Each structure stands twice: as C-alpha cells, then as structure tokens.
Amino acid sequence: MTDAYEAYRQKARSWLQSIESEFGREARRGLTEEQDLALGRRYQSAKYAAGYAGINWPEDFGGQGLSHIEKVIFESEEMKFGVPSVYFGISLGMPVPILMRYGPDKEFARERVIKALKGEEIWCQLFSEPSGGTDLAGLRLKAEQDGNGWRLNGQKVWTSWAHYSDYGVIVARTDPTVEKHKGLTYFWVDMKAPGVTVRGIKLAGGDSHVNEVFFDNVRVEDNQRMSPVGGGFAVAITTLMIERYIATDSGGFGPHLDLFVDLAKEVEINGRPAIEDGRIRSAIARNYAMRAGLDSITARAMLMMQAGMEPGPEGSLNKLVAVRSRQKLSELAIDLQGNSGMAFEPHAFVKEDWSASWLNAPTGRIAGGSDETLLNTIAERILGLPQDHRPDKGVPFNQIPA
C-alpha cells in the first residue's frame, strides 16, 4: 500500500470514528427496521457531504472521480463500524451505475444518481424469477409493445429492498421466437407505477429484505428502454459485472474469529475450557489459515489494481470459501453453547451473534452469485475445465420445454 493510499485510509478511518456514536453499531441497537432505514438515509447524506459517496464515480454525476482502490479502502474501513449502509448496497452497486452508463436521458439520470448517493432514493434490481433460478436468460416476464411504449406482465422474486425502492432496473422477454439470450430487453421502471405489487418473503433469519414483485399490465415508455430491443442480455451481464471491485471479508461477513476464541475460553467440554480441546484448537487453526489465505488473495488483487491491472476470477474463491466456513464455524459455536446456543434474538447483528450468523449464512450462499455459479466460474475460468453441456443452445426460447 503506497503512502498516499495509507493516508486515504487514515483519513477515512478518522471520519468514520467521528460519526460512530451517531451512526455506528451501538447507535443502531434496538431500532426497528424503519428507524434503522431512516438512520441509514441520514448516514448516506452525511457520507455524501463528506465526499465518501460515489468515490470512483464521475464528478459530473456527483461522484469523487477517484479510483476503485480508494473505494475498496473506504468500504474495508466502513464495514468495521456497523453503519446502516445495507439498504443502499444493491442500489448503488448495480442499478444506479447502469443508469449512469445506459440511461437515455442524461439529465434525468444525473438527478436520480445524486438523490441515490444522498440516500433520498433507492433502486432495486429485478432479475431473478421463480422458474429461472440463476439462469438469467431463462426469464419469462413479458414486455409487449403498446403504441410507443410497452406493457410488462409477469413476476420477479428475491428482489432485495423492493419494498423501499423508488425505481428498479428490469430485464423482460420481448421476443420468445429467438434463442433465449437474444429475445431480452432492458428497462428502468417506476416501482410506484400502477400494477406493481411488492410482497415480502420471510427468511429463516427473521428479516424480510427480499420480495416477490408482480407486474400486472404495467406501462413503461420506450424512453425507459436502456438497451436495443433484443439486446438486454448484454446490459444485464454488464450490470452483474459493473461493481467487480468491492470490499471482501474473509470471515464471510460473519463474526470475527476472535469472538470464537473468546467463546471457547468461556464454555467447557468435559469440565475443562473448550479452548483446551484439540478439536476446537484445530478448528480455530484451520479457520485462521483459511482466512489468511483469502486475505492474501485480496491483497494480491489490490496490488494488481495499483499496477493498473484487473484482478482475475480467483476472487470467486473468496465468497465461496468464506461464507461456507462461516456457516460451519457458526454451527460449531452454537453446539459449544449447548441449549443456550439455541437462543434467538431477531434483531441481533450477524457479525456478533452466532445464531444469527448461522441462520443467515444460507442466504449468503445464494445471493450475489450462488455456490454453484461460483464453482462453475472456478472450474471454467481458473481450472480451465470445459463448459457444461447446454441442450438449449441454438433453440428458440418458445420451443424449450417449460
């Protein structure tokens, strides 16, 4: 890390320390989700005013015009303070950057971008469908031409924060008679438009940040189209790749390993502190080695960025291994506590509560790239193995069995 980047890190850390009492983890404890969102909007506004929102975005759109490195440095520091930024992660991570790049009305886009950076508006990403799984090109929601606009009919699912969103980006099927990748078109939609219905999904961990979204004859104008007709798949792939440079956590965004060590000192196995048991010490050592390995991959990616290079697909290893190991370590921590390990606190923070971490880990293994998708990436792009057999290749979408 160069002196300039280290200075940036120190400056960011100082600012975060200065606002911790107002927006940090302790300030959020006991708040309802609505109260926490309101606090999050104020935090986002303060972050914008301090010059830490849109760090690597163009200044014309309210950004800071800095590099991916400063962005990752800030995010790495920010995650330590437990600030209420989760509501804006999807919005600022994918839909809003895509609006900057592909929005047909630049003045409208600029207005939306700045409001999103300040936390005044939230965007969602409407990709997944009940029958599509991780196969984005298999989506079935229809967009049919209606005069100089379009009508949307169908359903999306697993849409994060749709219930708080003002706008969203959506991919719809506009031509079912061609190959599945070629009949898709990309739009932005007003989430308050007539015919849009959002219904929450209750997750095992107790929260409902994901939703089903139904589109019943929803009208969108042609100037809301963000791709050529039939060219939506390429924009969708860009959406998924646009924020490749994000801060990672070798702990899988779960509790720090030090908390497990503290727990192992407190509880007993056969009348002796668990920390003295060889099996527990082995689990700690293996987890420490794994996290050190993932941190090394992250450090290598940072050095590549500093050298003007693009990090490779080995970053896929980080999420896959980190979240899986978090799930296993959380399960062991619950087991060590016996019956008391089953106590459930619905508002507990995932980064400090083993039960909450374990219950929410399966969501982390699906969201943002499922384990299976990441395994494919590792197999094909790191190990050089051949692609899976694709029986639907070259077949018109309406001839593929449902």
Side-chain angles (χ1 to χ4, degrees), residues 208-226:
S208 302
H209 74 274
V210 293
N211 301 273
E212 297 175 288
V213 184
F214 300 89
F215 290 82
D216 184 10
N217 217 27
V218 175
R219 169 84 180 182
V220 294
E221 302 302 327
D222 194 55
N223 61 11
Q224 292 176 234
R225 181 163 54 83
M226 296 168 69

Side-chain angles (χ1 to χ4, degrees), residues 193-213:
V196 177
T197 303
V198 178
R199 189 165 68 192
I201 298 172
K202 191 83 168 178
L203 297 176
D207 69 290
S208 302
H209 74 274
V210 293
N211 301 273
E212 297 175 288
V213 184

Side-chain angles (χ1 to χ4, degrees), residues 301-381:
M302 290 289 286
L303 289 173
M304 290 179 73
M305 286 194 287
Q306 289 181 48
M309 302 165 67
E310 285 204 2
E314 60 273 14
S316 301
L317 288 164
N318 214 315
K319 177 176 179 294
L320 178 74
V321 176
V323 181
R324 282 184 170 189
S325 64
R326 163 191 149 189
Q327 190 173 11
K328 287 183 179 177
L329 192 68
S330 299
E331 185 175 330
L332 180 56
I334 292 171
D335 286 344
L336 284 176
Q337 296 174 76
N339 290 339
S340 60
M342 299 302 293
F344 176 63
E345 166 51 58
H347 301 297
F349 292 113
V350 168
K351 285 192 75 67
E352 61 182 25
D353 183 279
W354 293 107
S355 296
S357 172
W358 180 73
L359 280 170
N360 285 284
T363 306
R365 294 180 60 176
I366 298 172
S370 66
D371 280 11
E372 290 73 19
T373 302
L374 295 172
L375 285 168
N376 268 341
T377 300
I378 292 165
E380 294 172 10
R381 299 187 59 195

